[in-house]
Amino acid sequence: MTTNMRGLFDGGADFDISSTVSWHALVTHQQHVYSLHLRELFVMEPDRGRELTVQAGDLRIDFSKNLITGETIELLAALAREAGVEEKRDAMFAGAHVNTSEDRAVLHTALRLPRDAELVVDGQDVVADVHAVLDAMGDFTDRVRSGEWTGHTGKAITDVVNIGIGGSDLGPVMAYEALRHYRHPGLTGHFVSNSDPADLVAVLAGLDAETTLFVVSSKTFTTLETITNATAAKAWLLAELGVGEGDPAVEKHFVAVSTNADEVAAFGIDTDNMFGFWNWVGGRYSIDSAIGLSLMIAIGRERFGEFLAGFHAVDEHFRTAPLEANGPALLALIGLWYSNFWDAQSQAVMPYSNDMERFPAYLQQLTMESNGKSVTAGGQHVTTPTGSVYWGEPGTNGQHAFFQLLHQGTWLIPADFIGFANPVDDRLTADGRSFHDILMANFFAQTEVLAFGKTADDIADEGVPPTLVPHKVMPGNRPSTSILAPQLTPSVLGQLIALYEHQTFVKGMVWGINPFDQWGVELGKQQANALMGVIGDDAVPAPLPDSSTDAMVRWYREQRGRKA
Ligand SMILES: O=P(O)(O)OC[C@H]1O[C@](O)(CO)[C@@H](O)[C@@H]1O
C-alpha cells in the first residue's frame, strides 16, 4: 500500500458528503423517524432490544433505545461506505499517512499488536519497536514495584508523580482511577498537569522526596505546563535532598516518557531512563504507549498486557465486522445521525462506575480535539456540523444534578450509559442489598424512562391534579445507547477506550476531516508566550491591540504590584 494517502483522505476537492445520495436519503428518512416515538418503535419491532444489540469483544452495546429503525442503520452504513470509511480504516491499520496535514501514519492500533504480529511501516518493524519499549517499561516497572529501584538515599519508591498534560495526563489519570482495584498497595500515584501552581503544590505537600519518583510525560517535551511543573518539581527534590543542580540524585527520581531525546537530556534526565514512542502516536491516542508508564507501575506489566489485549480485541472487531454490526462504527454513525440530521450539539456519557469518573474528561480530549474542525482534510470548508460537545458525570451522581434537563428539557441530548454486571468488589452491603444492584437498577431505570417517559393520561389516571399533570409529563423519546460489560477489568477498560477511539475516527472520516491534527490549540500557546513578557515585565507595556485585553492586563499588573 502506498503511504501517500492524500487522494483517499482529501476526498477530492469536489467531494461533499452532504451532496451524496445517502445523505439526501437520510434527510428524507429522518422525517419518517421523527414521526415515530420510541414507544411505537418498540411495539412495531418487539424484539429490537435484542436485534439492535451488537457484541464487540466483551462489550454488549444496545442501540435499540435510539431514534432509529433497521432502515436507518442501512442508510448510515451506505453513507459510511460512500465516504470510504472501510478503505480509510484499512489504510490507517496498514500504516498509511492518514494524518495528511502532518504527513504521518496513525498507528495507535500497532501499540497493542501481539508480539507475533507483523507490521512494517516505512521500512520499520513497528511491532518489534513497540515490544522493545514495552519490555523496557516492564523491567523498570518490576524494579520499582519490588523495591529494587531505590531513590537517592536507598529507600524504595512509595509515590509516583506523573507530570504531563492533555493526552500525557488524561489517559494515565483516568485509567489509574478506573483500575483502582488493581493497583499495587504500596505505591500511590499522583497526577500533576495544570500550570496553576496549586496543582503541584498540593501534590508535593504530602510527599517525601526520598521515596518519590517523577515520570515526566510529554510527547514533545516542550509543553509549557509540563516543563514548568517538572522544573519546579526538580528544584523541590534537590532542595529536599540537600543536593545541588546537576547532582546524579535526579536520575534516581526522574524518568521521562517522550519522543524527544534531546529535550529530555537538556532537562537533565538520563536518556537511559527515557521510554520512547513515535510521531505516529497522537497525544490523545497514547495511553497504550509509554505514556502509560505510571499506569503500568501501578497495575503491573501483566495487567497492562491485559489492558492492551482489550484494545486489540476491539481493534479486530472494528477491522473485520461489517459496518451494520460494527460497534464503534454504529456508535459513530448513530452519533452523527443526531448531530447532522437532528441538530443535536452534544453527547452525554454516563459511566455507572465511580472509578470511571475521569472517563468523560478523557473522552473530551479524544473526541473534541480530534473532530473539532471546520475544514476538510483537503482544506475546504465543511458543509455540515462536525464534532459534538462531549460531557458527563458518573451515575448516579448525574441523576441528582443535570438529568432533569435530559428528561424534560428542550434539547435533544443523546446519552451513552456505561455499566458493569459485576463490581470489582462487593464487600459492602446495605441491609443485605448489594450496593452494585442499587447502582445498576438506576442505570436500567434511567435508560427506560428516557426512552418511554410517562404520558399525561397515565399521570392523570393516578389522580394527579390537572394543573400538575403537564409538569409531571415525561416526554420520553430521548435516545440512549447502553454499553455493558461483565466487569471493569484492565481488558474491558482497553476495549472501551478503543471503542471510542474508533468511533471518533469513523465520524471524522464521514465528515472528511483529519481527526489526528490539532492546529487549533497552537495560536493560544503562542499568544500566552507573548503575553508572559507583557504581564511579567518591569516596563510599562505598550498598548495592546484590543481594549479588553489591554485593560485586563493593566488591572492584573496593578494587582500584582507592577507598573500599569
Ligand atoms: O505530550 P505533550 O507534547 O506535552 O502534549 C500534551 C498535549 O498538548 C496537545 O498538543 C494540545 O495542546 C495535546 O494534543 C497533547 O496531548
Side-chain angles (χ1 to χ4, degrees):
M1 166 152 344
T2 168
T3 53
N4 181 359
M5 303 306 290
R6 280 207 172 271
L8 177 61
F9 286 86
D10 293 0
D14 300 337
F15 184 78
D16 172 6
I17 191 68
S18 65
S19 302
T20 57
V21 173
S22 341
W23 190 280
H24 289 301
L26 280 160
V27 171
T28 309
H29 176 68
Q30 192 271 349
Q31 290 161 17
H32 166 61
V33 180
Y34 187 79
S35 69
L36 298 166
H37 193 286
L38 273 168
R39 290 181 204 123
E40 294 168 81
L41 286 170
F42 271 81
V43 171
M44 285 159 54
E45 302 165 341
D47 211 24
R48 66 184 263 134
R50 265 168 276 275
E51 286 166 1
L52 294 176
T53 293
V54 163
Q55 192 74 30
D58 292 321
L59 308 178
R60 182 190 190 282
I61 313 175
D62 180 344
F63 293 106
S64 67
K65 293 195 183 83
N66 281 290
L67 308 176
I68 57 170
T69 64
E71 190 187 355
T72 320
I73 292 191
E74 282 169 29
L75 292 172
L76 287 168
L79 179 75
R81 291 203 172 93
E82 219 168 331
V85 165
E86 289 156 315
E87 292 89 332
K88 292 172 178 174
R89 172 196 62 195
D90 295 346
M92 176 178 75
F93 274 85
H97 286 203
V98 305
N99 177 353
T100 46
S101 73
E102 296 177 301
D103 194 18
R104 289 179 184 168
V106 174
L107 274 175
H108 43 278
T109 51
L111 297 168
R112 49 265 192 158
L113 281 174
R115 200 179 285 275
D116 58 1
E118 284 175 22
L119 182 65
V120 176
V121 176
D122 300 336
Q124 197 61 26
D125 182 345
V126 169
V127 182
D129 289 352
V130 163
H131 281 272
V133 174
L134 281 172
D135 290 344
M137 290 165 65
D139 292 346
F140 178 70
T141 293
D142 288 347
R143 294 177 70 195
V144 173
R145 288 167 65 89
S146 68
E148 185 196 328
W149 178 281
T150 60
H152 174 61
T153 58
K155 292 189 182 170
I157 299 300
T158 58
D159 293 85
V160 178
V161 183
N162 185 78
I163 299 180
I165 197 164
S168 301
D169 167 72
L170 286 164
V173 68
M174 178 277 288
Y176 178 84
E177 297 294 338
L179 300 177
R180 174 184 55 85
H181 183 72
Y182 301 90
R183 292 184 213 147
H184 188 296
L187 286 165
T188 306
H190 309 268
F191 298 85
V192 173
S193 57
N194 206 327
S195 56
D196 181 344
D199 198 2
L200 180 64
V201 167
V203 167
L204 293 182
L207 296 181
D208 176 353
E210 290 182 85
T211 59
T212 298
L213 175 72
F214 292 94
V215 178
V216 186
S217 298
S218 174
K219 181 176 171 181
T220 55
F221 230 76
T222 56
T223 303
L224 180 65
E225 293 88 337
T226 301
I227 300 309
T228 307
N229 275 315
T231 304
K234 190 167 74 171
W236 172 84
L237 181 97
L238 295 174
E240 291 286 308
L241 295 180
V243 297
E245 179 70 42
D247 192 282
V250 172
E251 287 167 20
K252 306 295 287 176
H253 294 271
F254 275 81
V255 298
V257 178
S258 188
T259 57
N260 191 341
D262 291 345
E263 289 293 336
V264 169
F267 180 83
I269 294 178
D270 184 351
T271 47
D272 284 349
N273 298 331
M274 169 182 152
F275 301 88
F277 57 114
W278 307 271
N279 72 5
W280 41 259
V281 182
R284 53 196 174 270
Y285 299 86
S286 66
I287 174 58
D288 47 345
S289 71
I291 289 290
L293 181 64
S294 56
L295 175 67
M296 191 195 264
I297 294 171
I299 65 171
R301 69 197 300 179
E302 289 78 17
R303 295 291 192 190
F304 196 82
E306 292 165 19
F307 179 57
L308 298 184
F311 280 90
H312 183 62
V314 169
D315 292 345
E316 284 302 282
H317 166 85
F318 176 55
R319 201 174 60 78
T320 57
L323 294 176
E324 291 80 356
N326 190 311
L330 289 176
L331 194 65
L333 295 170
I334 293 171
L336 190 139
W337 168 237
Y338 297 123
S339 310
N340 294 133
F341 301 92
W342 295 75
D343 295 333
Q345 294 182 358
S346 86
Q347 170 71 50
V349 180
M350 256 70 78
Y352 273 62
S353 159
N354 209 58
D355 290 338
M356 289 189 72
E357 190 169 5
R358 299 288 281 156
F359 196 62
Y362 173 79
L363 290 186
Q364 284 180 333
Q365 189 200 13
L366 175 63
T367 61
M368 292 160 76
E369 199 172 73
S370 293
N371 284 337
K373 314 280 165 69
S374 49
V375 292
T376 65
Q380 314 296 315
H381 222 277
V382 294
T383 55
T384 66
T386 62
S388 301
V389 177
Y390 273 72
W391 60 280
E393 277 288 319
T396 57
N397 293 2
Q399 291 174 208
H400 299 273
F402 50 78
F403 269 49
Q404 165 66 36
L405 186 145
L406 297 188
H407 285 295
Q408 289 187 315
T410 52
W411 299 105
L412 176 76
I413 302 180
D416 293 348
F417 283 71
I418 301 171
F420 305 96
N422 301 292
V424 281
D425 64 61
D426 207 7
R427 282 169 292 180
L428 297 177
T429 57
D431 285 339
R433 285 190 308 165
S434 155
F435 260 92
H436 189 71
D437 288 347
I438 297 171
L439 175 72
M440 289 307 291
N442 275 278
F443 174 113
F444 297 125
Q446 289 298 326
T447 61
E448 200 178 28
V449 171
L450 282 167
F452 307 116
K454 196 165 184 182
T455 64
D457 288 347
D458 287 343
I459 291 164
D461 287 350
E462 289 173 355
V464 171
T467 52
L468 211 48
V469 169
H471 299 281
K472 292 196 148 197
V473 168
M474 296 289 280
N477 215 31
R478 316 244 153 168
S480 68
T481 298
S482 297
I483 303 167
L484 290 166
Q487 197 169 40
L488 179 52
T489 59
S491 166
V492 163
L493 184 64
Q495 294 179 48
L496 284 167
I497 299 171
L499 172 74
Y500 280 95
E501 285 178 348
H502 296 318
Q503 76 101 28
T504 302
F505 171 78
V506 171
K507 282 184 175 178
M509 294 306 101
V510 175
W511 286 323
I513 59 181
N514 177 0
F516 302 112
D517 59 15
Q518 58 284 320
W519 299 107
V521 298
E522 292 307 319
L523 183 58
K525 291 182 193 173
Q526 285 167 22
Q527 201 55 17
N529 276 328
L531 283 167
M532 268 298 294
V534 178
I535 66 172
D537 209 331
D538 280 346
V540 176
L544 293 169
D546 78 87
S547 59
S548 163
T549 314
D550 188 73
M552 279 197 290
V553 161
R554 281 170 214 286
W555 174 86
Y556 177 84
R557 287 180 57 92
E558 259 171 28
Q559 296 286 318
R560 300 279 285 153
R562 295 171 195 146
K563 285 182 225 144

